[in-house]
Amino acid sequence: MRQHIGIAPQVRIARNLTIIACASLVAISSAHADEDWRKLQDVQPPVYGPGYFASRDGGAVTRDTFDKLNMQLYAWMPLNLFPGSPTSANDIWGYTSPSGREYAIIGLSNGFGFVEVTDPGAPVLVGHVTGPNSLWHCVKVIGHYAYGGSEGGAGIQVMDMSQIDNGIVTLVQNKTQLGHTTTHTLASNEDSGFLYLAGANIANGGLVAVSLANPADPIIVGSWSTRYVHEAQVVTYTSGPYAGREIAFCYTGSAGIDVIDVTNKASMTRIGGINYSGVRYSHQGWLTDDKQYLYMNDELDEGASVSVCTTRIFNVSNPASPVLVGTFSNGLSVIDHNLYIKGDKLYESNYRSGLRVFDISNRTSPVEIAYFDTYPGSDSFQFNGNWTNYPYFASGIIVLSDIERGLFVLAEGNEPLPKLDIALQGAPTTLSPGQNTPITAVIAEVGTEELDPTTVVLRYQVNGGSQQETPMTPQPDDTWRAMIPAQSCFDAVTYRVAARAIDNSPYTTAAINAIVATGVDIVFEDDMEINRGWTVGAPGDNATSGIWNRMDPQGTAAQPEDDTTPAPGVNCWVTDGRAGSSIGTYDVDGGTTTLVSPVINLGGASGAKISYWRWYSNDKGAAPNTDTFVVQISNNNGSTWTTVETVGPTGPQASGGWNFHEFNVGDFVAPTSTVRVRFRASDLDPGSIVEAAVDDFTVRTIVCVPPPACPADYNGDNEVDVLDFLDFFDDFGACSGQPGPCGGVADADFNGDTLVDILDFLDFLDAFGTGC
């Protein structure tokens, strides 16, 4: 059974000291230091595991381990499913691309994860941007850019999401300027197009205005530095005395709330505020849509000046003079944290009691109507569990970040979310050259969602070019069909099906990547049952034990018992492979051991792919999760090497178990006649238990035979004669009524509609009569 190891105590302490050291560089209030210190004191190990995905697990028991009311769990994506297995999560925000696809952007201890949640039961990690190692990250979105900050440094991380639908998120730059490096939180005003830093290491930690006139290059243009600002919400008034003014509601710790006119960035001015009775730490708040009321969480009052979770309500109809008009609580002994308002509902992330949803149609008497508790088994005044939430997706999906457990995807209510389910039938990844390729989809209406039949389209791109679109037509079997036009050998085609509901809500399938080819050649295939030319050892190898060996492995808690080849296969390459008297008797020790493939001839090959099964265990022993397993490729017989993948030091694939991996050779080196691959397992200081294995290594290349220049030249001999007719007639007789492509000589599905029938026969007769 896989063991999920949290942060080793010494690693966690070192990380915390690093964060404290970073924070100490900033002139911050004692209350801010206290809030930070309490968070650090409450750090818990991450909860790793397989998570829960409704599309994969259905009614899995995991779904019922979280206490909830009027909420549905669609997915839980633990931290180990993100690159580098981050040790904590923090902020979260959302982005909807122009196509209508929805993405969660989650802050992680090692940067930011970008996760598509368009299908809430099957979230897909589409990007990761590395950032400083820190418990605190923050992110906001304006246009197609996400802007990130951190208490660990890097200034403003500018991340371009313009290609996110194609699985591409680009870090444009880490912008540092005027001494700015660290930030506690960010605020954005989409109406004005300005970004704001709060709790940064400049301007006394106050509110700093950032121009996004060039969205790829944010420029600091002003600040309010009277005191430290922990969080802020910045809005533009469109009516009343402040019409046309940009106003910031700043949450300033023990000073309460400051209201700042930030319209003139060169002279931002305090117009009012309130230091309410019982203030401990004014942390964060949000306005109602009409800007008449503000709801605020005080992060340090619970367990001090109040005995239960208490959120405050202010009348801000006159923003210069906020008035405390009430408080509310659900009676739990927890800390209230980040909250957001959508219409008449308030969504509050209250650490160990999770997300709480309140009806605020009566502004001064909120009523709790739903909740989802991400921290099972404990409600207490501690900084663990649900950090924040994002409730603004048009689909109704709500995403949460949990410090120890990662990303949650939820929806209110107990009925399925109204949506269109679009499923591709077949979804070919190999297209025949010179032939139209039919694409078929099934569209199901879920809940109350209703399809607009005029909007169903097939979208495709060829070789990364502009997107093309063709309408799909309904079929008698309740499917939808359209054709990808004929393409040439080795063209790369990406396609998807999209549609809209009658309320204009967009839906789409995931992109399918296809290649135009006629087949695949196996260049090299090795099940490791005999030695087909592999060598052990390379310059720099210095391991004293655990040297690569080909054998039937003897299972241990770190090493496989069986290979991956179906019986009667038993052998694989493994680091020593013997069990010994203890788990560490024959594991890798003292350095590195290398396994090198024979020379593989890929000269002139197109679309070469290499695949293998690998095993790697690095999560046991005195210093677990400190080493890596490196796979490299060379195209010059080993003179130089390029890294294909690095497994570990942490993550689910560094804890044992066979895992399949495949890569395109051309993504790393140009194919030549002297390609080699090597696998390097290491146990470097400090020592740990390291075991690795490799099995079922395969090299494939794509083959493409262009169609004959003349369709009537059925057998491709460059002459149109009776032999073509006879060859077609034979294939047609053998394939009639069967799906195409089909045929012994060529494809009897002559018209490419995926069915061999009388229409193919008639089309061939026409072509034969026309000749070439």
Side-chain angles (χ1 to χ4, degrees), residues 652-718:
Q653 296 193 2
S655 302
W658 285 106
N659 291 281
F660 179 80
H661 187 74
E662 183 175 60
F663 66 92
N664 295 312
V665 172
D667 290 345
F668 299 94
V669 296
T672 68
S673 61
T674 55
V675 170
R676 304 187 84 172
V677 176
R678 71 180 184 181
F679 300 86
R680 310 193 77 201
S682 304
D683 184 16
L684 308 177
D685 288 334
S688 59
I689 303 297
V690 173
E691 295 282 15
V694 177
D695 201 9
D696 290 327
F697 182 94
T698 304
V699 183
R700 300 175 177 86
T701 59
I702 295 173
V703 177
C704 190
V705 178
C710 173
D713 182 17
Y714 187 76
N715 58 18
D717 66 356
N718 295 318

Side-chain angles (χ1 to χ4, degrees), residues 264-398:
N264 181 352
K265 306 302 182 287
S267 181
M268 299 196 284
T269 305
R270 185 181 189 273
I271 61 172
I274 184 172
N275 196 336
Y276 52 89
S277 175
V279 61
R280 292 298 299 262
Y281 197 86
S282 170
H283 173 263
Q284 183 264 358
W286 210 254
L287 294 163
T288 54
D289 293 348
D290 60 8
K291 302 181 182 65
Q292 298 299 295
Y293 287 86
L294 181 148
Y295 296 76
M296 189 218 70
N297 42 80
D298 186 312
E299 197 175 15
L300 297 182
D301 59 345
E302 286 85 10
S305 58
V306 296
S307 60
V308 294
C309 180
T310 302
T311 303
R312 288 163 175 81
I313 309 169
F314 298 88
N315 184 318
V316 290
S317 55
N318 177 1
S321 184
V323 178
L324 179 65
V325 294
T327 63
F328 67 93
S329 174
N330 60 5
L332 296 177
S333 298
V334 294
I335 302 168
D336 55 342
H337 201 223
N338 296 315
L339 66 86
Y340 297 99
I341 293 170
K342 181 180 179 181
D344 286 335
K345 291 181 180 178
L346 181 149
Y347 301 82
E348 189 167 42
S349 292
N350 288 349
Y351 284 120
R352 287 195 173 203
S353 70
L355 176 70
R356 320 305 289 200
V357 183
F358 295 87
D359 182 340
I360 59 169
S361 53
N362 182 335
R363 295 294 194 243
T364 57
S365 297
V367 177
E368 186 174 82
I369 57 173
Y371 61 79
F372 187 93
D373 189 349
T374 62
Y375 197 93
S378 172
D379 290 334
S380 59
F381 300 131
Q382 290 177 278
F383 295 91
N384 310 105
N386 181 201
W387 183 293
T388 193
N389 68 88
Y390 180 83
Y392 297 114
F393 288 123
S395 67
I397 286 296
I398 305 164

Side-chain angles (χ1 to χ4, degrees), residues 524 526 528 530-536 550 573 595-599 676:
F524 179 75
D526 193 351
M528 312 304 189
I530 62 173
N531 190 348
R532 291 182 170 85
W534 294 78
T535 56
V536 174
R550 190 183 57 80
W573 282 99
L595 174 67
V596 185
S597 77
V599 174
R676 304 187 84 172

Side-chain angles (χ1 to χ4, degrees), residues 277-577:
S277 175
V279 61
R280 292 298 299 262
Y281 197 86
S282 170
H283 173 263
Q284 183 264 358
W286 210 254
L287 294 163
T288 54
D289 293 348
D290 60 8
K291 302 181 182 65
Q292 298 299 295
Y293 287 86
L294 181 148
Y295 296 76
M296 189 218 70
N297 42 80
D298 186 312
E299 197 175 15
L300 297 182
D301 59 345
E302 286 85 10
S305 58
V306 296
S307 60
V308 294
C309 180
T310 302
T311 303
R312 288 163 175 81
I313 309 169
F314 298 88
N315 184 318
V316 290
S317 55
N318 177 1
S321 184
V323 178
L324 179 65
V325 294
T327 63
F328 67 93
S329 174
N330 60 5
L332 296 177
S333 298
V334 294
I335 302 168
D336 55 342
H337 201 223
N338 296 315
L339 66 86
Y340 297 99
I341 293 170
K342 181 180 179 181
D344 286 335
K345 291 181 180 178
L346 181 149
Y347 301 82
E348 189 167 42
S349 292
N350 288 349
Y351 284 120
R352 287 195 173 203
S353 70
L355 176 70
R356 320 305 289 200
V357 183
F358 295 87
D359 182 340
I360 59 169
S361 53
N362 182 335
R363 295 294 194 243
T364 57
S365 297
V367 177
E368 186 174 82
I369 57 173
Y371 61 79
F372 187 93
D373 189 349
T374 62
Y375 197 93
S378 172
D379 290 334
S380 59
F381 300 131
Q382 290 177 278
F383 295 91
N384 310 105
N386 181 201
W387 183 293
T388 193
N389 68 88
Y390 180 83
Y392 297 114
F393 288 123
S395 67
I397 286 296
I398 305 164
V399 290
L400 314 182
S401 58
D402 183 273
I403 300 171
E404 293 81 18
R405 288 175 171 81
L407 172 69
F408 287 83
V409 185
L410 311 173
E412 290 180 72
N414 298 307
E415 296 298 324
L417 279 175
K419 65 174 182 175
L420 300 178
D421 267 339
I422 308 177
L424 291 167
Q425 284 192 340
T429 56
T430 301
L431 313 183
S432 297
Q435 294 185 17
N436 294 339
T437 302
I439 303 299
T440 303
V442 177
I443 303 176
E445 298 171 332
V446 179
T448 58
E449 198 72 292
E450 186 176 343
L451 171 68
D452 179 349
T454 66
T455 65
V456 184
V457 293
L458 172 65
R459 295 173 178 161
Y460 63 93
Q461 292 173 282
V462 180
N463 298 325
S466 60
Q467 180 173 275
Q468 308 296 313
E469 189 172 285
T470 184
M472 301 189 78
T473 56
Q475 305 298 306
D477 60 355
D478 293 328
T479 62
W480 295 78
R481 183 175 294 182
M483 294 283 186
I484 296 175
Q487 305 297 327
S488 301
C489 278
F490 306 117
D491 280 344
V493 180
T494 300
Y495 67 91
R496 60 168 53 92
V497 172
R500 288 182 177 270
I502 57 174
D503 64 0
N504 208 37
S505 297
Y507 296 89
T508 184
T509 64
I512 303 295
N513 296 313
I515 188 77
V516 179
T518 54
V520 174
D521 273 353
I522 303 298
V523 177
F524 179 75
E525 189 171 34
D526 193 351
D527 59 8
M528 312 304 189
E529 296 306 312
I530 62 173
N531 190 348
R532 291 182 170 85
W534 294 78
T535 56
V536 174
D541 276 11
N542 55 353
T544 56
S545 67
I547 308 303
W548 286 100
N549 182 29
R550 190 183 57 80
M551 66 173 290
D552 181 357
Q554 300 170 3
T556 71
Q559 180 172 276
E561 171 71 24
D562 298 302
D563 71 340
T564 61
T565 310
V570 295
N571 292 332
C572 64
W573 282 99
V574 60
T575 47
D576 194 292

Side-chain angles (χ1 to χ4, degrees), residues 23-46:
S24 68
L25 296 175
V26 188
I28 56 177
S29 70
S30 60
H32 178 215
D34 183 44
E35 185 243 0
D36 285 350
W37 175 247
R38 287 185 59 177
K39 276 192 173 75
L40 293 169
Q41 287 290 91
D42 289 342
V43 166
Q44 299 288 325

